[in-house]
Amino acid sequence: MNDAEPPWPGPARPPEPAWVPEPNPWAPGWAAAPPVPIAPPRNRLWGAVGGVLIAVLAFSLIAATTPRRVDGRAYAAQGADTGRAYSGGTEVKPVPELARNPLLDAGITPGPATCALPDLGRAADQLKTYYDKLVDCLQESWRPALDKANEPRLLAFVSVTLPEHSACGAAPTENEAVAYYCGGDTTIYAPTDWMLSDAGLNKARHIATIAHEYGHHVQRESGILSAAADKMTSPDENSTADKEVVRRIELQANCFGALFLAAVAGSGSISRPLANAAVADYGRADNSDTHGSREHQLSWAKAGYDGKNTKACDTWSAPVAEVS
């Protein structure tokens, strides 16, 4: 197995296993290449809202209700009185639990950590070990940020097998997800077959995916996910307003993932070229009305990578044009 890391701007993966040169998204005048085709199309972030809604409904004083699927990726509760965060369809109103969440205060940042990652292999036990070590590093890095914001620090777990049911209800299909986070059991589900089909042995893509999903865990711990879920009130599961809430969630998770990469780049197993390649990977998805345009999926990742603090990841105060 060739474990050589791609140089920056380095080879990047079209559909596995070929490698082709990737343009540098930080270079002046850089323009995004056509999206890498992945068939069938899947969304990495299924279940982010569903996970937190399970947590809110099952583990809080709010009465649990029967969930319903929202856009094939997440679950929202029927009959929940959750309020609305939008005015005029152009700007999101700052909400204390979102834009003013303590985690987004100035000067809060993940800390350095030395990620000692094992070899990446195709066997399920190799992937599980790789992800476990990566999540250990994510937890070490995010600990000082959560401590400074006086937020709880529940452990996150990884499963490389897909349960028929979890704390977030029925699992998605392979057509709907590559990986997803369930807040009900604080578990990142990254099924072996799905991940290998999407990423092969491209370390940058595996790291980017798990760092993003852990970003949802950070959102859960800080209360951001539950506050966002409270804003999803439309009876129409495909409503424009609800999709905008989801985009702000997903783009912030990209930013949080890249924020971690900035904190650990150049130490341990995550060299700076590998971190750069992982950040660039956030810009290789197709445009999505629930996850944002390809341009914004990358721009919010770059905001975290360059800004190096959680304030740079405040998608809740951003104009709609920046989270489209």
Side-chain angles (χ1 to χ4, degrees), residues 124-125 127-132 135 156-166 171 178-182 185-195 210 213:
D125 59 343
L127 278 184
K128 180 69 163 60
T129 301
Y130 191 86
Y131 295 157
D132 283 345
V135 167
F157 305 95
V158 182
S159 174
V160 296
T161 59
L162 187 68
E164 184 175 349
H165 294 280
S166 70
V178 170
Y180 66 99
Y181 171 74
C182 174
D185 55 18
T186 65
T187 297
I188 296 168
Y189 289 95
T192 300
D193 292 346
W194 297 5
M195 291 296 294
I210 300 302
E213 299 303 340

Side-chain angles (χ1 to χ4, degrees), residues 5 116-121 123-137 158 160 201-207 210 269-270 274:
E5 296 168 358
L117 304 179
D119 291 338
L120 179 63
D125 59 343
Q126 290 177 303
L127 278 184
K128 180 69 163 60
T129 301
Y130 191 86
Y131 295 157
D132 283 345
K133 293 296 185 182
L134 179 56
V135 167
D136 286 346
C137 191
V158 182
V160 296
L201 294 180
N202 183 342
K203 292 180 181 178
R205 177 158 288 192
H206 285 274
I207 291 170
I210 300 302
S269 301
I270 302 182
L274 181 57

Side-chain angles (χ1 to χ4, degrees), residues 222-247:
S222 63
I224 288 173
L225 273 184
S226 58
D230 285 345
K231 311 308 168 188
M232 300 181 68
T233 62
S234 172
D236 179 2
E237 63 187 23
N238 291 314
S239 72
T240 299
D242 282 0
K243 286 182 179 180
E244 186 178 326
V245 174
V246 175
R247 286 198 302 274

Side-chain angles (χ1 to χ4, degrees), residues 30 32-33 35 254 278-286 294-295 297-298 301:
W30 176 81
N254 274 14
V279 173
D281 191 79
Y282 289 123
R284 292 176 191 154
D286 292 333
R294 194 166 183 256
E295 175 187 2
Q297 290 185 57
L298 177 60

Side-chain angles (χ1 to χ4, degrees), residues 29-43:
W30 176 81
V36 174
I38 299 175
R42 293 176 291 182
N43 294 287

